[in-house]
């Protein structure tokens, strides 16, 4: 049996949609995103910061751990633009290196928590009711743990450094995502086009990655941006408490840690004010971007 | 006459509460048996909630039946394990009611049409595309639809895409679940004619689910009348419309609008709603709304049996009213 050309006896009344090819749903969401002023402002802040942080070693003369004994606790000057700290290290260099570490930790931990969150949500929604019930009670448990204490316990077990900090932050932040993914996939599972795929013999990998993932992309992108901001703050908090990134390695959090000393707080404000300001600015800008993405992916905003 | 292509025996589906929920057992289907011969179109009619879609999906094993047997060309698909079931799925496809829900908004028409071939690992990329384009031609859509998204098409065009998707795997059997009830009347006729033409041209066997009796009369060879998860009457389409045997079928047929004012006077209007399948009436499930029910109807579940020689079956104990 083969499918042959149509019978001309049937009235060919179907009119093809005229005009040029139109965009897919992701392209339309991106167009909406770039129409959003706050989101554009966020990009305008984040992109230069990212560029500066990733390329600073090419154009900034000082390295973050180089000591200039003639410039201990000196304020901003033509040589050290943002001043120098108590052992004569350049604050600008440390700020940029700290940004590198903070953003690295944030991006990696969010990537890990997205993988965990998506897989847990997928298992819960496609694994049948028993698996779903069991996994979600476990997720509830993970969500009820008080975050700060959980973080401190984990950090004291895992120790300090970049890898343990990434681990700790990613272990803390996946449960919320897994609930969102589960809710989306539970709904998706009953949609006709997914039933059709099952009817054509689709297995779990096909359903998850050809239907599940594309239809969760909005959740994942929005979660990722908002969570990166959150992870930067968590890293700063951990490092501030001395559990995240340990000195002499720089991070925005452990630079702020210096402000615990009253002398630094009062007499050398450039040592904590700049990392604080960049931290706030970055987190704010990323949040703008996240909000913009959320609005852009919201199907209800399709109407305007 | 050779063995029927599709044989359904004692198909039962109960939706039971699970460990995490409570509630009554919903008896969606009870003891459903019917046959479909190769190349035949069988209509499945009934009110909302009578179990039409549950039968359609169970027959393709998109829903796991509670019990019963579904023989597809001799193979009992209820007992197939995962691997053979995937291969079996090539031969049977589903056409959905809602053309807006049945196409993924995130895939191009080409991706939608080649999905089945992709899953089944049939052909190279180019062959898949060629098959998909042939399917588009078969449903009279332009080939440039291939790279577009579903939202660019109207309801009727989307339904054609849904039909094309079912055809790409070149199935032998198709379940069409109210394929026209979401479309407006002028488009309905086009889609029905298209389905009928394809059915004849490709020699498809079809289970056609509908609540529109006029459409069913036009396209089906045999009609099954369903009420509350049970078969009330099975008959060749012509016989059913000419001489309905079951009081429920008579009520359904008399609900079809008529231009003849005299015919309206004899209309039989059913009172009330279909009872809950969570708590169906004892005996004959239709007796609570039946105009000719007897006390005895509460006592026994009427078996589906032949009443005349022309293949007419009914589940009613009242032979005196036929």
């Amino acid at each position: 049996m083969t499918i042959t050309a149509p019978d001309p006896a049937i009235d060919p009344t179907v009119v093809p949609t005229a005009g040029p090819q139109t965009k897919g749903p992701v392209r339309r969401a991106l167009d909406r995103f770039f129409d959003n002023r706050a989101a554009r402002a966020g990009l305008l802040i984040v992109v230069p910061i990212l560029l500066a942080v990733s390329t600073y070693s090419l154009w900034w003369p000082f390295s973050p751990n180089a000591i200039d004994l003639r410039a201990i606790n000196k304020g901003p000057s033509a040589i050290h633009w943002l001043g120098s700290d108590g052992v004569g290290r350049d604050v600008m260099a440390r700020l940029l290196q700290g940004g590198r570490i903070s953003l690295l930790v944030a991006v990696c931990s969010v990537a890990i928590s997205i993988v965990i969150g998506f897989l847990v949500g997928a298992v819960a929604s496609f694994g049948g009711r028993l698996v779903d019930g069991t996994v979600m009670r476990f997720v509830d448990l993970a969500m009820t743990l008080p975050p700060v204490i959980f973080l401190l316990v984990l950090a004291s077990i895992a120790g300090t450094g970049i890898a343990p900090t990434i681990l700790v932050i990613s272990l803390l932040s996946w449960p919320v995502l897994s609930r969102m993914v589960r809710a989306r996939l539970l709904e998706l599972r009953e949609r006709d086009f997914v039933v059709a795929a099952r009817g054509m013999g689709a297995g779990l990998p096909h359903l998850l990655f050809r239907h599940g993932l594309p239809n969760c992309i909005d959740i994942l992108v929005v979660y990722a941006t908002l969570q990166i901001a959150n992870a930067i703050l968590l890293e700063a908090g951990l490092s501030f408490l001395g559990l995240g990134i340990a000195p002499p390695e720089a991070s925005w959090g452990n630079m702020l840690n210096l402000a615990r000393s009253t002398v630094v707080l009062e007499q050398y404000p450039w040592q904590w004010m700049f990392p604080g300001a960049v931290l706030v600015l970055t987190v704010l800008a990323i949040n703008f971007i996240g909000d913009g993405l959320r609005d852009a992916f919201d199907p209800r905003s399709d109407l305007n | 006459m050779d063995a029927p292509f599709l044989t359904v025996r004692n198909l039962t589906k109960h939706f039971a509460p699970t460990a995490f929920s409570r509630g009554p057992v919903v008896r969606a289907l009870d003891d459903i048996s019917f046959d479909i011969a190769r190349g035949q179109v069988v209509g499945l009619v009934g009110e909302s909630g009578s179990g039409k879609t549950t039968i359609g999906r169970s027959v393709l094993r998109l829903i796991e039946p509670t019990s019963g047997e579904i023989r597809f060309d001799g193979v009992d698909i209820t007992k197939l394990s995962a691997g053979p079931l995937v291969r079996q799925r090539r031969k049977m496809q589903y056409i959905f009611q809602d053309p807006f829900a049945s196409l993924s908004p995130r895939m191009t028409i080409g991706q939608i049409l080649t999905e089945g071939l992709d899953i089944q690992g049939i052909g190279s990329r180019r062959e898949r595309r060629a098959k998909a384009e042939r399917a588009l031609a078969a449903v009279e859509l332009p080939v440039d639809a291939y790279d577009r998204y579903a939202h660019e098409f109207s309801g009727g065009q989307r339904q054609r895409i849904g039909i094309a998707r079912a055809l790409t795997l070149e199935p032998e059997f198709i379940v069409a679940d109210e394929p026209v009830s979401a479309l407006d009347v002028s488009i309905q006729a086009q889609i029905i004619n298209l389905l009928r033409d394809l059915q004849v041209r490709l020699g498809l066997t079809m289970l056609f689910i509908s609540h529109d009796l006029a459409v069913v009369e036009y396209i089906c060879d045999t009609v099954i009348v369903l009420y509350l998860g049970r078969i009330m009457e099975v008959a060749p389409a012509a016989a059913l419309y000419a001489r309905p045997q079951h009081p429920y079928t008579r009520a359904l047929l008399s609900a079809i609008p008529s231009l003849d004012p005299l015919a309206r006077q004899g209309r039989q209007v059913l009172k009330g709603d279909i009872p809950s399948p969570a708590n169906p009436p004892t005996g004959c499930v239709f007796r609570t709304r039946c105009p000719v029910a007897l006390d005895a109807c509460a006592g026994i579940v009427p078996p589906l049996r032949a009443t005349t020689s022309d293949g007419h079956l009914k589940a009613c104990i009242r032979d005196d009213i036929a």
Side-chain angles (χ1 to χ4, degrees), chain A residues 6-7 9-13, chain B residues 138-140 159-160 163 179-180 183 185-202 204 206 208 214-215 218-219:
Chain A
D7 181 354
I10 309 170
D11 183 16
T13 34
Chain B
V139 297
E140 295 154 46
Q159 195 58 289
R160 285 170 192 268
I163 294 169
V180 296
L183 307 172
V185 181
S186 58
I187 308 294
Q188 281 190 5
Q190 288 178 16
I191 298 290
I192 287 291
N193 284 330
L194 174 70
L195 273 175
R196 199 176 138 109
D197 173 62
L198 289 170
Q199 188 266 327
V200 172
R201 197 143 48 86
L202 306 177
L204 294 170
M206 204 184 282
F208 189 92
V215 167
Y218 179 66
I219 199 171

Side-chain angles (χ1 to χ4, degrees), chain A residues 42 45-46 49-50 53 99 102-103 225 228-229 232 252 275-289:
Chain A
I45 295 169
V46 167
I49 289 178
L50 276 179
V53 158
S102 289
L103 292 173
T225 37
I228 279 177
I232 292 173
W252 290 345
V278 173
L279 183 68
V280 169
L281 208 62
T282 309
V283 169
L284 203 63
I286 292 177
N287 272 316
F288 279 154
I289 295 174

Side-chain angles (χ1 to χ4, degrees), chain B:
Chain B
M1 189 179 155
D2 43 280
F5 182 63
L6 181 83
T7 314
V8 176
R9 285 290 170 269
N10 313 104
L11 177 65
T12 299
K13 176 66 190 177
H14 292 173
F15 291 100
T18 59
F20 292 101
S21 63
R22 54 180 70 199
V25 174
V26 174
R27 297 162 179 278
L29 297 177
D30 242 329
D31 204 17
I32 301 286
S33 299
F34 62 89
D35 294 333
I36 303 181
R38 189 180 288 274
Q40 214 188 13
V41 181
V42 170
L44 196 53
V45 299
E47 287 169 78
S48 302
S50 58
K52 303 187 295 288
T53 298
T54 311
I55 289 184
R57 296 203 173 182
S58 299
V59 163
L60 298 191
R61 214 174 143 191
L62 291 168
I63 295 176
E64 290 294 330
T66 308
S67 66
E69 191 182 281
I70 298 160
R71 289 196 167 276
F72 187 96
D73 213 3
V75 183
D76 185 356
I77 61 163
T78 57
K79 294 194 176 61
L80 284 183
S81 59
L85 181 63
V86 168
R87 283 191 292 283
Q88 184 70 38
R89 289 197 183 284
R90 286 181 196 182
K91 300 182 189 165
M92 45 194 213
Q93 286 298 309
Y94 201 91
I95 296 171
F96 291 85
Q97 172 176 7
D98 182 354
F100 291 90
S102 65
L103 306 178
S104 171
R106 299 198 183 272
M107 291 164 94
T108 62
I109 303 308
Q111 288 171 324
I112 289 170
L113 292 180
T114 52
E115 188 181 11
L117 300 167
D118 204 21
I119 291 168
Q120 296 282 353
I122 298 172
S124 65
R125 254 181 108 85
R126 187 173 301 168
E127 283 161 9
R128 287 177 199 164
R129 183 171 182 135
K131 273 180 194 271
E133 285 175 350
R134 275 209 300 282
L136 277 176
V139 297
E140 295 154 46
L141 282 176
V143 174
D144 74 351
Y146 192 86
D147 291 313
R148 293 169 182 274
Y149 285 90
H151 68 85
E152 300 174 52
F153 294 89
S154 68
Q157 289 172 326
R158 281 162 162 254
Q159 195 58 289
R160 285 170 192 268
I161 295 164
I163 294 169
R165 170 176 59 190
L167 294 178
T168 50
L169 281 174
E170 297 174 4
E172 298 164 41
F173 176 63
I174 283 184
V175 174
D177 187 356
E178 306 213 27
V180 296
S181 56
L183 307 172
D184 58 54
V185 181
S186 58
I187 308 294
Q188 281 190 5
Q190 288 178 16
I191 298 290
I192 287 291
N193 284 330
L194 174 70
L195 273 175
R196 199 176 138 109
D197 173 62
L198 289 170
Q199 188 266 327
V200 172
R201 197 143 48 86
L202 306 177
L204 294 170
T205 308
M206 204 184 282
L207 181 64
F208 189 92
I209 301 172
S210 181
H211 56 242
D212 185 335
L213 291 162
V215 167
V216 167
E217 182 177 17
Y218 179 66
I219 199 171
C220 297
D221 303 310
T222 303
V223 181
I224 298 170
V225 180
L226 206 63
Y227 183 81
L228 208 61
R230 286 174 183 276
I231 292 178
M232 295 288 110
E233 184 165 1
V234 180
L240 185 93
Y241 286 84
R243 296 175 300 281
Q245 301 276 315
H246 196 282
Y248 178 60
T249 315
R250 290 181 181 188
L252 282 184
L253 291 176
S254 82
I256 297 175
S258 167
L259 288 174
D260 178 3
L262 292 175
R264 280 182 215 163
Q265 290 167 4
R267 270 177 77 167
Q268 202 178 40
V269 179
L270 287 183
K271 300 274 189 297
D273 288 323
I274 190 164
S276 164
N279 185 22
T282 57
C284 173
V285 286
F286 183 57
R287 69 181 166 81
T288 52
R289 298 167 77 193
C290 181
V292 294
L294 304 173
D295 290 343
C297 292
I300 59 159
V301 177
L304 192 64
R305 65 210 161 86
T307 47
T308 56
S309 56
D310 58 357
H312 213 128
L313 306 174
K314 73 166 178 175
C316 182
I317 58 169
R318 296 279 315 247
D319 285 336
D320 49 322
I321 58 156

Side-chain angles (χ1 to χ4, degrees), chain A residues 25-37:
Chain A
V26 174
R27 277 298 307 276
R28 279 178 290 143
L30 284 180
D31 284 352
R32 281 197 297 273
F33 174 76
F34 285 110
D35 280 345
N36 184 328
R37 236 179 256 151

